[in-house]
Amino acid sequence: MILPLSFYKKDTVTVARALLGAFLVHDSPQGRTIGRIVETEAYLYRGDPACHAHRGKTKRNAVMFGPPGHAYIYFIYGMYHCFNVVTGPEGVGEAVLVRALEPVAGIPLMARRRGVTALHNLCSGPGKLVLAMGMTKELNGCPLFRGPLTIWKAHSFPAPRGQVTAEAGCPWRPGRIESGPRIGIRKAADLPLRFCLKDNPFVSRPPR
DNA sequence: TGCCTGATTGCCT
DNA sequence: GGCAATCAGGCAA
């Protein structure tokens, strides 16, 4: 079941936690890839200087101020992109950064796109997973409940050809979520807005 | 294992 | 003009 628009209308931290275990599905011309979300970060409109929207709407962050349930993909460090899920009502700039996936399907395609083969290295970082999933800036602003890029509820994805990874049937439970400070930011570096599945080997780095 | 650095470019001050 | 929600590789311990 594809997560409906209503899923994204809850508050941003709730969405960041609820996305853990869900499946990100991208149908590209090269084929389908699927990854299970295992690490997220929340970026809040108010009281969070690290949030792109903190200083108001600009050309770059405009999508964050649009309706929830859409992709916010931005260019960073001259060579990478990061994928976010827009949350909060229209006019409020909040989003959830997806930081790591557990590869589920289309793994050979992911490996080709990344130029590496180790499973735990395919999607273990925000820049890595965008490459592995074949997402581009063209998807910036696209809805996540219809179209080529969708997010499916944990436990609900009908695995292709009956193939399921061992972890695919193991969605998040409250006790299995760990939180801590976000990664790679200087401002508001102490806020505990990073969430990941406890002991999951596919996170970008283990929580401190 | 872990720290440090270079690569590379669009956007904002 | 400087920075940025990153990554891979090099080098030291």
Side-chain angles (χ1 to χ4, degrees):
Chain A
M1 170 194 137
I2 292 179
L3 291 170
L5 174 58
S6 59
F7 173 88
Y8 302 98
K9 290 184 174 176
K10 288 165 275 191
D11 77 88
T12 299
V13 167
T14 298
V15 174
R17 299 174 71 99
L19 279 173
L20 295 175
F23 297 96
L24 180 63
V25 180
H26 185 212
D27 287 305
S28 78
Q30 303 159 296
R32 165 174 281 195
T33 46
I34 303 174
R36 193 172 71 124
I37 298 171
V38 299
E39 180 180 345
T40 59
E41 286 181 357
Y43 285 86
L44 309 179
Y45 192 28
R46 304 188 63 124
D48 182 8
C51 179
H52 286 175
H54 182 68
R55 292 178 182 274
K57 187 173 176 178
T58 66
K59 179 181 173 184
R60 181 207 203 192
N61 66 22
V63 170
M64 288 183 83
F65 288 84
H70 289 244
Y72 168 46
I73 297 176
Y74 65 88
F75 188 57
I76 188 72
Y77 293 118
M79 59 186 81
Y80 298 106
H81 293 270
C82 289
F83 166 68
N84 298 250
V85 174
V86 175
T87 54
E90 210 160 338
V92 173
E94 302 204 340
V96 173
L97 169 70
V98 176
R99 284 195 55 90
L101 304 173
E102 172 186 331
V104 171
I107 291 170
L109 178 54
M110 289 184 183
R112 215 179 317 140
R113 285 167 170 162
R114 287 272 295 118
V116 298
T117 54
L119 197 60
H120 67 272
N121 193 29
L122 289 178
C123 301
S124 54
K128 295 179 188 178
L129 71 89
V130 165
L131 284 171
M133 294 290 289
M135 295 187 281
T136 66
K137 62 178 166 55
E138 313 304 319
L139 292 168
N140 187 39
C142 287
L144 296 167
F145 39 85
R146 57 177 148 78
L149 186 63
T150 49
I151 300 180
W152 295 62
K153 184 178 177 181
H155 248 334
S156 76
F157 193 80
R161 301 187 194 185
Q163 296 284 326
V164 184
T165 67
E167 296 289 325
C170 181
W172 70 273
R173 278 176 276 129
R176 295 197 65 217
I177 295 180
E178 241 173 332
S179 63
R182 294 171 295 184
I183 293 174
I185 55 172
R186 309 193 51 147
K187 300 171 230 168
D190 51 334
L191 297 179
L193 294 176
R194 175 184 183 230
F195 307 96
C196 58
L197 291 180
K198 189 172 168 61
D199 299 325
N200 188 284
F202 298 96
V203 299
S204 64
R205 68 166 87 162
R208 192 191 61 77

